[in-house]
Each structure stands twice: as structure tokens, then as C-alpha cells.
Amino acid sequence: MQTKIDFQSAKEILKSQNIIPLGIERVFLHAALGRTLAHSISATSDMPTTPLSNMDGYAFSSHFRDSKILKILGENPAGAAIPTLPLDAPYTIKTFTGAKIPLNADMLVPIEHCKVTQEGLEIIIMPKIGQFIRQQGDNYKKGETLLAKNTRLNSHHIGLLASLNQIFIPVFEKPKVGILISGNELLELGEKASNGSDIYNANGHLLFAKVLENGGIPKLYPILKDDKAQVQNFLNLALKECDIVISSGGASVGDYDYIATLCEERAKEVVFKGVNIKPGQHITYAHFNQKHFFALPGFPNSTLVTFELFVKPILYKFLELSFTPTTLRIPLPQDVHKTDTRLEFRVCNVRNHNGEWQIDFTGKKDFQSAILNNFCPLDNAKVGLCILDSAKKKGAIVEVILL
């Protein structure tokens, strides 16, 4: 067990974890949104399968490009069978956007580049051969890889899969993530305050939402009292039922911090205990029963930050995804004071002003670990973690993790 390590060492440890995906399942197209693709997807045919019109216009053969008048044979709407253009005279067929280009035609003149007279079609601006025509295979060729394995599917991918007539999509199974919250002072949602308790289970539902939005299946267990036997029983149950287990609270050095006590008793299974950061220095990462266990601090800010920094990399590995947080380099708008020697992740507002990223600390009431509303700015600014290794002067360039 490593103790009180630096942040970079903790990152390297998490990066080195060899995690095999749980398995592959096939889900309906819409259910694949946000999931990780388990196999590459290739085109089964050319797209388009035949040349198509990109404009409303008139299709004709380049053999008759020098003809002053083309005789109009009829109309060719989108979805119709491919018509054939005779080549024994200067003919043309009116062809609408998305329609198949007639056989023997290789030119298309947009309707605004020509005019219809009693004699026929007169071309005012002559197009080039193939201009305004989407050729066979312009989108993609048969056998071409269109989506790579390990792609996290978004709405664009869903549209592409639909165009390929893909109904059931192979994706990696989601890991089950158990969430254990402990503390005699906590109330579950819906409970009435009594005996001086008025703190609701924010951390449990915060972590539930974090797991859900990052591709896992959260399981929130009942609030645990500060009772060692109960904490141990539920920890064992969660380790049995889940792939990852997260606890919040009870990880520090107090008399009732039984998560910390259990970690000490299972010290051989603990990978690291304590990271020299603020907030969240008491984080613990362990392999209990060959499962991944994280003991997060109980203050809401600490819980949120340590989930982002430590839990997400492991959760992403189960999903065959590479965890690469969006990091910006931004000048400080003001002097920043700091006396603590720990590496600090200070919550800030992130705004885009005319294409330039800026940060500020407006509305941040304090940087204590208990103020969760610091992460919920009233003006819908983005939220980031400003990384501070020391006090900084206005204009100094700092790294900011975008949340």
C-alpha cells in the first residue's frame, strides 16, 4: 500500500490497471446512444448505390452539350426507378434533388441556369461533366469502415447506423457500480428532519447521477449508520453484486470512520491511501475481492472532485474508453492566494467570450469542501477545476479541467 502519494503517481497507477470489459451485448439502435461500440461497422454497399442529383435540374448527355435546344422528355422525381435517356437526339429529363440520374446522362444543369421555351430547354450556363451529381460511392464504398470499435456512440452515429439499416448494435456491457453512503447525521430524500438531523443524502444521488452519465449502472444502497458491522456487511454485499464500489464518508481519521478502519484491516488489498491534493486528500483506492473499491471523502465537493479525478478513469476502462479530460490553458483574471502545499483543484466558472476561453471565481462563496452549489453557477456558465500548485499572479497561465 502506498500512502500520501502525489497526484501524478495516482494517475499512473490508475492508468496501469488492466481491466477486461465485462462482455458484449446487442441493444436496439436507440438504446445504443452513449454506449461503446464493441465491433467496427463497415458499409455493406456503396452509398449512393447509383448517381444522384444534388439539385433540381435537367439531366442530359455530354454528347449534346453543344446543342442549342434540348427536348424535354418528362420528369424524374426522387424515389422513382432509373429512367433511360435516349442518345439518338438531344434529349433531357427534368430530374429533382435526390433522384437517380438517368442512364446515359452525365451532366445536370440546375433550373436556375437554364430556361424552358416552346422549343425545349435552353442552357444559359453550361455545367461541367459530373457537376451537381453525387456519384456512386461518394458517401462511402462497400467494405469501408464507417465506425471504429470503441467509439462512444452519439446522435450523429445513431443517424449513420440508421442509414445502414442497423437495428441491433453490439456494445460493451455496462459495469455495475455500488454506492455506499454512511453517517448517522444523514437523511434520505423524503424523510423529515428529526433529532437535529437535517442533512440530506446529496452525495448518494450525486454519485448515482455521475455513474449514470458516465456509462455505468448505479446501485444506491440504504444510508449506513456509523456501525462497523453494518458498514462491513454492506461493503461485502456491494462487492459481491457490483464491479466497482464507491463509498462516501467514513474515510478520514475520526472515531466513527469505519470505512477507513476496514481499509486498514485489509491493508494488503489497498493500492494507495491518501493523495496530496485539495480537496480529497483522504481518498483510498483498493482491490477488495478483486473488485475496484474507492473510498471517497464525505464532503460533497471532495466527493465530486475525487470521482472526476479517480473513479472516472477506471469506469472508462470497463467501457473500453480512453479517459482524456478536456483541459484548457487559460490566463488567470486575478491574483490567486494559496498557502496550502497540496495540489489544489479549485472550482471556477469557465466562459467563452468571442472564441476566447476565460475563467473567473464569481459567486464562489468559499472553497471549502462542503459547498456543492459552487458547482452550480446561476448564469449557466461551464464549470471547471483550476489546477493550482502555488499562489499565482494575474495573467499566469493555469490548466483548467472542464467538467
Side-chain angles (χ1 to χ4, degrees):
M1 175 176 65
Q2 299 186 50
T3 59
K4 298 180 180 178
I5 62 177
D6 61 76
F7 178 60
Q8 188 60 38
S9 297
K11 282 176 61 177
E12 291 301 320
I13 289 172
L14 296 173
K15 185 178 179 180
S16 70
Q17 300 302 303
N18 184 24
I19 296 174
I20 300 174
L22 300 171
I24 296 172
E25 60 180 337
R26 294 168 72 243
V27 299
F28 179 66
L29 176 65
H30 294 170
L33 183 66
R35 303 292 296 272
T36 308
L37 192 61
H39 300 302
S40 296
I41 302 292
S42 300
T44 57
S45 64
D46 292 347
M47 177 55 67
T49 56
T50 186
L52 301 178
S53 172
N54 269 345
M55 306 282 286
D56 291 337
Y58 292 85
F60 62 100
S61 170
S62 58
H63 293 298
F64 299 101
R65 65 167 65 182
D66 294 329
S67 300
K68 293 183 178 180
I69 297 293
L70 300 173
K71 183 178 180 181
I72 302 172
L73 293 184
E75 294 186 346
N76 175 28
I82 304 176
T84 298
L85 183 74
L87 294 178
D88 55 345
Y91 294 122
T92 185
I93 297 176
K94 190 173 186 179
T95 299
F96 295 90
T97 302
K100 300 177 178 67
I101 296 296
L103 296 177
N104 298 327
D106 57 358
M107 299 185 75
L108 184 85
V109 58
I111 56 175
E112 57 266 32
H113 293 174
C114 56
K115 68 178 181 179
V116 178
T117 67
Q118 290 183 346
E119 290 78 19
L121 183 74
E122 179 183 341
I123 297 176
I124 300 172
I125 301 176
M126 183 64 65
K128 297 177 182 179
I129 295 176
Q131 190 177 7
F132 309 117
I133 295 174
R134 187 150 52 102
Q135 300 296 336
Q136 179 176 337
D138 268 0
N139 288 31
Y140 47 77
K141 302 287 187 182
K142 181 179 180 179
E144 182 180 341
T145 299
L146 301 180
L147 289 174
K149 177 184 176 181
N150 298 342
T151 297
R152 191 170 189 180
L153 299 171
N154 60 30
S155 55
H156 309 154
H157 303 133
I158 297 299
L160 177 57
L161 289 165
S163 75
L164 296 169
N165 194 30
Q166 296 281 333
I167 302 172
F168 294 101
I169 314 301
V171 294
F172 289 109
E173 291 184 16
K174 295 181 177 183
K176 297 180 181 65
V177 182
I179 301 168
L180 301 174
I181 308 296
S182 60
N184 288 342
E185 73 280 11
L186 296 178
L187 297 171
E188 191 48 272
L189 304 188
E191 286 189 83
K192 292 184 179 180
S194 62
N195 299 324
S197 297
D198 60 357
I199 301 174
Y200 285 94
N201 183 15
N203 285 359
H205 298 282
L206 167 67
L207 289 171
F208 189 99
K210 280 286 183 185
V211 170
L212 200 61
E213 73 179 3
N214 285 284
I217 301 174
K219 180 168 184 177
L220 181 59
Y221 290 88
I223 295 173
L224 306 179
K225 297 299 182 182
D226 292 325
D227 176 272
K228 182 180 178 182
Q230 186 188 48
V231 171
Q232 187 165 24
N233 288 339
F234 272 92
L235 174 59
N236 290 336
L237 177 63
L239 290 169
K240 181 180 179 181
E241 295 179 337
C242 303
D243 306 295
I244 303 172
V245 178
I246 309 170
S247 70
S248 177
S252 190
V253 293
D255 292 344
Y256 297 100
D257 288 329
Y258 291 118
I259 289 291
T261 301
L262 293 172
C263 288
E264 290 176 6
E265 293 175 358
R266 305 179 67 165
K268 291 183 179 180
E269 299 172 89
V270 175
V271 180
F272 62 75
K273 178 179 175 60
V275 179
N276 196 32
I277 62 170
K278 176 185 179 181
Q281 67 175 338
H282 292 298
I283 176 146
T284 296
Y285 172 52
H287 294 160
F288 288 160
N289 300 355
Q290 299 182 327
K291 302 287 184 72
H292 299 266
F293 172 74
F294 289 91
L296 309 185
F299 281 128
N301 280 17
S302 299
T303 297
L304 190 157
V305 170
T306 49
F307 180 93
E308 289 287 334
L309 298 180
F310 301 102
V311 181
K312 276 177 72 169
I314 296 299
L315 182 55
Y316 273 45
K317 279 179 174 286
F318 273 97
L319 298 168
E320 281 285 281
L321 294 172
S322 175
F323 176 68
T324 308
T326 300
T327 304
L328 307 172
R329 291 178 58 81
I330 302 176
L332 280 172
Q334 63 189 62
D335 291 351
V336 171
H337 303 287
K338 183 179 184 300
T339 56
D340 197 309
T341 59
R342 291 173 292 170
L343 184 66
E344 183 176 352
F345 295 85
R346 186 175 295 187
V347 61
C348 61
N349 302 311
V350 185
R351 310 175 197 276
N352 189 325
H353 287 283
N354 299 319
E356 180 180 334
W357 289 106
Q358 299 177 5
I359 65 169
D360 62 70
F361 302 98
T362 303
K364 306 310 175 206
K365 299 180 179 181
D366 199 340
F367 300 106
Q368 297 177 16
S369 298
I371 304 179
L372 188 58
N373 47 300
N374 273 348
F375 289 83
C376 307
L378 295 175
D379 60 356
N380 291 319
K382 295 182 181 296
V383 178
L385 296 175
C386 178
I387 305 175
L388 299 170
D389 56 359
S390 63
K392 302 288 183 184
K393 293 291 186 181
K394 178 180 179 180
I397 302 299
V398 292
E399 287 194 352
V400 177
I401 299 173
L402 197 60
L403 299 184

